[in-house]
Amino acid sequence: MGSGTRRRRSGTPRLRAGVPLPLLLPALAGLVFLVLPLVALLIRAPWRSLPDQLTSVAVWQALRLSLITATAATVVALVLGVPLAWLLARARFPGRRLLRALVTLPLVLPPVVGGVALLLALGRNGIVGRWLDSAFGVTLPFTTAGVVVAEAFVAMPFLVISVEGTLRAADPRYEEAATTLGASRFTAFRRVTLPMVAPGVAAGAVLAWARALGEFGATITFAGNFPGRTQTMPLSVYLALQSDPAAAIALSLVLLAVSIAVLAGLRDRWMAAS
């Protein structure tokens, strides 16, 4: 306890008396601005009817669909995103910075624009969707698979960024030693690199899953809003606000609880990064 206290005293900057008022007041205002809506949500929550709200058929249907599609989107992000992160972190090729910018573009792109882009690419008349429909009879828009595609599109950059950062921090000499001993580059990645960066992959997967669970704009644009097929929890919240505000608050509480759980689970990693 004593050594830990000493470390905190020596390594952690402390708030001292005499904080400049021009900094303190905006800081407190910013804190209130961020926390007040969440407090209002908790105050106005229908706690007595909450069990009935959460066990209603419509809510359970949206919750079940959200969990399934968010998990499937995370799997897609893992399968495609981890190799992409390795490429960005380890390979050297012209245009790598441009590729990284393109990978992270969905982070800043308005989700509705992402949905429109998906329609132009994978819609029935899209540049790839037309071929998928005619050659394989595969139609993605306005289906549950379309929800997974939309969620993976907006969530995968979170995983790529997390895994790429972990790969850059990992010592590449272990991979080089493995290849020197005769292992192929893929074997070195599978047997050496992947175990080393497993915590980063797990953290990225959790972030991607949470982002997929809360996705709204790209989903409603690309997959529509059909109960039981494409209506996820964020879409259900939006609709419930117009007809049943209590149900909307109950669903929002579920999403809030998931977000808090994700932050709590990643706390140690974030603290280490800071």
Side-chain angles (χ1 to χ4, degrees):
M1 180 178 176
S3 60
T5 305
R6 284 194 297 273
R7 280 196 299 269
R8 286 195 298 272
R9 284 175 179 173
S10 60
T12 305
R14 289 180 173 275
L15 186 67
R16 298 179 178 178
V19 177
L21 200 60
L23 295 179
L24 182 60
L25 290 180
L28 292 177
L31 180 64
V32 171
F33 176 72
L34 293 175
V35 173
L36 183 62
L38 305 179
V39 173
L41 184 64
L42 296 174
I43 292 175
R44 297 294 298 273
W47 295 107
R48 291 183 178 179
S49 62
L50 190 61
D52 295 332
Q53 293 285 352
L54 294 180
T55 54
S56 68
V57 175
V59 171
W60 175 245
Q61 202 174 48
L63 176 61
R64 178 175 172 273
L65 183 65
S66 292
L67 294 176
I68 292 174
T69 55
T71 303
T74 304
V75 172
V76 172
L78 280 169
V79 172
L80 303 179
V82 172
L84 182 55
W86 183 89
L87 194 69
L88 292 173
R90 290 286 192 265
R92 297 290 182 269
F93 55 90
R96 190 162 58 103
R97 292 183 178 180
L98 176 61
L99 179 61
R100 181 182 292 110
L102 292 175
V103 168
T104 54
L105 191 59
L107 291 176
V108 296
L109 196 68
V112 174
V113 177
V116 172
L118 285 173
L119 276 176
L120 295 176
L122 301 174
R124 286 185 175 179
N125 295 318
I127 55 177
V128 176
R130 180 183 304 174
W131 172 73
L132 288 176
D133 191 19
S134 60
F136 302 101
V138 175
T139 302
L140 292 175
F142 310 109
T143 63
T144 303
V147 177
V148 175
V149 170
E151 291 180 347
F153 178 75
V154 298
M156 193 162 69
F158 287 87
L159 181 130
V160 173
I161 288 176
S162 177
V163 177
E164 186 194 358
T166 308
L167 280 167
R168 289 183 178 279
D171 194 340
R173 287 179 296 181
Y174 293 105
E175 297 173 57
E176 295 169 3
T179 55
T180 303
L181 294 174
S184 65
R185 295 289 289 176
F186 179 69
T187 302
F189 167 77
R190 185 168 54 87
R191 303 290 294 273
V192 178
T193 308
L194 206 53
M196 279 197 306
V197 300
V201 174
V206 172
L207 284 174
W209 184 82
R211 179 64 185 89
L213 191 68
E215 215 300 306
F216 177 84
T219 302
I220 197 170
T221 306
F222 183 64
N225 182 28
F226 301 101
R229 190 170 60 176
T230 65
Q231 188 180 91
T232 57
M233 288 183 65
L235 274 61
S236 186
V237 170
Y238 177 74
L239 286 181
L241 271 176
Q242 304 172 25
S243 58
D244 189 358
I249 296 174
L251 281 169
S252 300
L253 283 177
V254 174
L255 292 174
L256 177 63
V258 170
S259 302
I260 292 174
V262 170
L263 288 177
L266 295 177
R267 182 179 62 87
D268 290 340
R269 176 174 173 76
W270 283 21
M271 292 295 287
S274 64

